[in-house]
């Protein structure tokens, strides 16, 4: 362990500015990187070279050591010193989304140490994540390079370092890209819709409660005389079944996959008097509606598969054109949901992005039953036992 690392274990109390923040600053100003990991120290001690990164390995950074060592009984003054230390580490280039030797993010460790999600320290890490994501988007000139971390690839971690072990995606997935997915055969099981060969979970019935809440949200405006609702992505038709119970005057369903469309035919969705099916990708169907200029919705829901957050940014353009002034937009929020910290970062990013479109996002917490059996699918795509349900309206 280096001197820097030792300092971050808080060997003495109280945690004061002079003993810790000033010392930390001195170390970093002398050239020790804020990303100097325990793994690099070990590699150096074993003569493998401190600069050697193990791309598949962990990165136990100074911030991990600091959060792991946090006393449970921090005073208010000590919390402020720790916050200052975090500021210094971020200022010197510490990353927010590295994972350590126990596969934990800084956010995981803070929560384990009893820090509150709304507390200064956790919020500081989220703020660092949001800044890093938005900055990278700018640097990439709009070409956002997201890594998929959830079911439908909306939520995606950007790497903050090309060599470091950050939250990593499972890259071996049919669901990686929309074109491949739409040409991939699907299979309906008793409680899910999966890709036939890869067993990627497209939709699973543990989400039923979320879909029930979402249907209520998007059907909450409009009147008995005119309630026009749009759902993008049919999947198992769970939300569409709930929407039907709200008796919309017109219920549009946009769906692109041939196997899903075939299922919708068999199940009689094409014959329902108030249902209008838009076959094909929303990118085509909805832009056509926009061009025609005579259909506007009281509620819009978006839940697709194999799309990226960039697609959602494109969707916002369409939503602002198709939503009535009092209308409500919502979507399946799996953005970053395989890691609580990433989930919190994307919660903020969505808020910022929709604000830029003159919209406001409010979240409701829905508890999620995580006893879901993931046996029949390749990997779990939701690892939080709560769900941030978004309700987006014009401000
Ligand atoms: C997760 S499922 C939707 C589940 C649905 N919310 C429910 O309650 O059952 C995603 C659906 O979006 C469809 N989809 C994927 N990309 C699409 C696109 N670009 N346009 C329209 N539908 C798409 C998929 O074929 C799939 O049926």
């Amino acid at each position: 362990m280096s001197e820097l690392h030792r300092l971050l274990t808080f060997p003495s109390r109280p945690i004061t500015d002079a003993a810790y923040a000033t010392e930390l600053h001195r170390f970093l100003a002398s050239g020790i990187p804020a990303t100097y990991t325990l793994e690099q120290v070990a590699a150096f001690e074993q003569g493998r070279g401190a600069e050697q990164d193990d791309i598949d390995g962990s990165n136990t950074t100074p911030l991990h050591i600091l959060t792991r060592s946090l006393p449970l009984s921090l005073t208010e003054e000590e919390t402020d010193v720790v916050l200052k230390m975090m500021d210094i580490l971020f200022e010197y280039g510490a990353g927010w989304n590295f994972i350590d030797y126990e596969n934990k993010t800084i956010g995981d460790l803070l929560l384990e140490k009893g820090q509150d999600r709304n507390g200064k320290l956790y919020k500081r890490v989220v703020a660092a994540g949001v800044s890093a994501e938005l900055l990278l988007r700018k640097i990439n000139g709009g070409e956002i390079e997201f890594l998929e971390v959830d079911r439908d690839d909306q939520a995606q971690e950007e790497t903050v370092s090309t060599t470091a072990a950050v939250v990593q995606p499972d890259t071996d997935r049919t669901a990686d890209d929309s074109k491949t997915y739409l040409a991939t055969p699907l299979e309906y099981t008793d409680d899910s819709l999966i890709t036939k060969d890869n067993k990627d979970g497209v939709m699973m019935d543990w989400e039923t409660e979320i879909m029930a809440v979402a249907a209520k949200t998007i059907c909450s405006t409009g009147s008995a005389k005119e309630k026009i609702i749009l759902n993008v992505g049919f999947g198992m038709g769970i939300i569409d079944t709930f929407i039907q119970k709200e008796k919309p005057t017109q219920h549009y369903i946009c769906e692109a996959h041939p196997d899903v469309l075939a299922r919708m035919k068999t199940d009689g969705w094409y014959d329902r008097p108030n249902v209008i099916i838009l076959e094909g990708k929303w990118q085509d169907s909805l832009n056509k509606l926009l061009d025609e200029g005579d259909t506007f919705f009281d509620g819009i829901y978006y839940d697709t598969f194999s799309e990226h957050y960039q697609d959602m940014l494109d969707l916002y353009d369409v939503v602002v054109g198709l939503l009535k002034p009092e209308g409500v937009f919502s979507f399946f929020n799996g953005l970053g949901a395989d890691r609580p910290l990433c989930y919190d970062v994307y919660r903020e990013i969505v808020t910022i992005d929709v604000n830029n479109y003159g919209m406001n996002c409010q979240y409701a917490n829905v508890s999620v039953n995580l006893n879901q059996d993931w046996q029949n699918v390749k990997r779990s795509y939701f690892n939080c036992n709560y769900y941030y349900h978004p309700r987006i309206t014009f401000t």
Side-chain angles (χ1 to χ4, degrees):
M1 189 176 269
S2 72
E3 275 187 73
L4 165 68
H5 293 153
R6 204 180 319 281
L7 177 78
L8 298 175
T9 62
F10 300 116
S12 65
R13 297 278 296 273
I15 298 171
T16 61
D17 197 307
Y20 286 95
T22 308
E23 266 304 280
L24 173 64
H25 190 264
R26 195 176 63 77
F27 278 127
L28 300 181
S30 75
I32 300 176
T35 50
Y36 190 37
T37 64
L38 282 184
E39 290 77 0
Q40 286 173 317
V41 175
F44 180 73
E45 285 170 356
Q46 290 160 17
R48 287 189 281 125
E51 74 289 345
Q52 191 176 336
D53 256 331
D54 178 1
I55 290 173
D56 298 324
S58 58
N59 275 293
T60 308
T61 66
L63 263 174
H64 286 99
I65 299 169
L66 176 149
T67 45
R68 275 184 176 282
S69 312
L70 273 186
L72 290 172
S73 57
L74 272 184
T75 64
E76 204 45 43
E77 293 76 28
E78 287 180 313
T79 305
D80 285 340
V81 175
V82 174
L83 182 63
K84 188 168 175 188
M85 293 171 76
M86 285 182 153
D87 283 342
I88 294 170
L89 282 162
F90 283 127
E91 187 189 322
Y92 275 85
W96 67 277
N97 61 347
F98 289 89
I99 45 180
D100 75 357
Y101 66 92
E102 277 189 341
N103 195 25
K104 288 181 179 162
T105 63
I106 300 154
D108 296 331
L109 295 170
L110 282 172
L111 296 175
E112 278 176 17
K113 285 288 175 182
Q115 292 294 318
D116 194 86
R117 272 211 155 67
N118 291 314
K120 294 175 186 174
L121 302 185
Y122 190 86
K123 277 168 86 171
R124 180 64 187 92
V125 183
V126 171
V130 171
S131 309
E133 295 294 286
L134 296 179
L135 181 67
L136 274 172
R137 194 189 290 180
K138 277 215 157 66
I139 289 171
N140 290 342
E143 282 176 34
I144 309 166
E145 207 181 281
F146 288 109
L147 303 180
E148 71 192 52
V149 289
D150 78 339
R151 177 185 78 205
D152 45 4
D153 305 356
Q154 299 164 6
Q156 291 73 9
E157 281 319 298
E158 281 183 325
T159 53
V160 289
S161 155
T162 50
T163 56
V166 291
V167 179
Q168 289 289 346
D170 174 358
T171 47
D172 174 30
R173 295 174 67 198
T174 313
D176 265 355
D177 113 293
S178 175
K179 208 168 159 199
T180 311
Y181 161 69
L182 291 175
T184 298
L186 302 180
E187 186 182 332
Y188 282 93
T189 70
D190 282 349
D191 57 6
S192 65
L193 171 62
I194 55 179
T195 58
K196 225 175 199 154
D197 299 329
N198 274 23
K199 312 290 180 214
D200 271 312
V202 177
M203 180 67 186
M204 300 176 81
D205 74 354
W206 68 266
E207 294 172 46
T208 299
E209 183 53 32
I210 291 171
M211 294 301 143
V213 173
K216 282 263 180 246
T217 296
I218 58 166
C219 295
S220 59
T221 61
S223 64
K225 257 182 156 182
E226 185 176 274
K227 193 187 283 289
I228 308 180
I229 304 297
L230 164 66
N231 174 40
V232 181
F234 180 81
M236 296 170 72
I238 299 176
I239 194 166
D240 292 293
T241 305
F242 286 119
I243 291 170
Q244 281 289 295
K245 287 186 184 154
E246 299 292 325
K247 302 197 184 328
T249 45
Q250 287 177 309
H251 174 180
Y252 286 70
I253 304 173
C254 176
E255 173 55 51
H257 199 292
D259 292 357
V260 178
L261 289 166
R263 176 72 170 221
M264 291 168 73
K265 263 191 195 122
T266 314
D267 289 354
W269 284 91
Y270 280 72
D271 308 321
R272 294 184 183 226
N274 62 347
V275 170
I276 298 141
I277 316 275
L278 304 173
E279 293 185 352
K281 294 181 71 165
W282 64 264
Q283 288 87 342
D284 301 323
S285 310
L286 301 191
N287 278 313
K288 192 160 169 273
L289 284 188
L290 260 184
D291 290 345
E292 289 164 4
D294 50 13
T295 309
F296 299 98
F297 297 99
D298 296 287
I300 299 179
Y301 194 68
Y302 170 79
D303 180 14
T304 65
F305 186 76
S306 80
E307 296 205 320
H308 300 262
Y309 191 67
Q310 179 60 49
D311 294 296
M312 275 192 71
L313 289 173
D314 293 342
L315 181 82
Y316 298 153
D317 282 335
V318 177
V319 166
V320 290
L322 290 179
L323 197 63
K324 290 183 186 174
E326 306 300 326
V328 182
F329 166 57
S330 186
F331 63 91
F332 173 75
N333 184 12
L335 297 169
D338 67 344
R339 297 261 176 192
L341 176 61
C342 301
Y343 203 32
D344 284 313
V345 166
Y346 272 89
R347 178 189 161 111
E348 294 300 314
I349 285 180
V350 169
T351 303
I352 292 168
D353 284 333
V354 299
N355 280 348
N356 287 336
Y357 283 86
M359 294 189 289
N360 170 40
C361 181
Q362 284 176 327
Y363 291 97
N365 273 16
V366 177
S367 61
V368 167
N369 178 9
L370 270 190
N371 293 329
Q372 168 62 31
D373 180 3
W374 296 99
Q375 250 178 1
N376 295 328
V377 296
K378 207 168 137 200
R379 69 195 282 270
S380 72
Y381 53 79
F382 203 100
N383 296 323
C384 300
N385 58 5
Y386 49 88
Y387 173 80
Y388 296 147
H389 168 59
R391 183 180 199 277
I392 298 169
T393 51
F394 288 110
T395 46

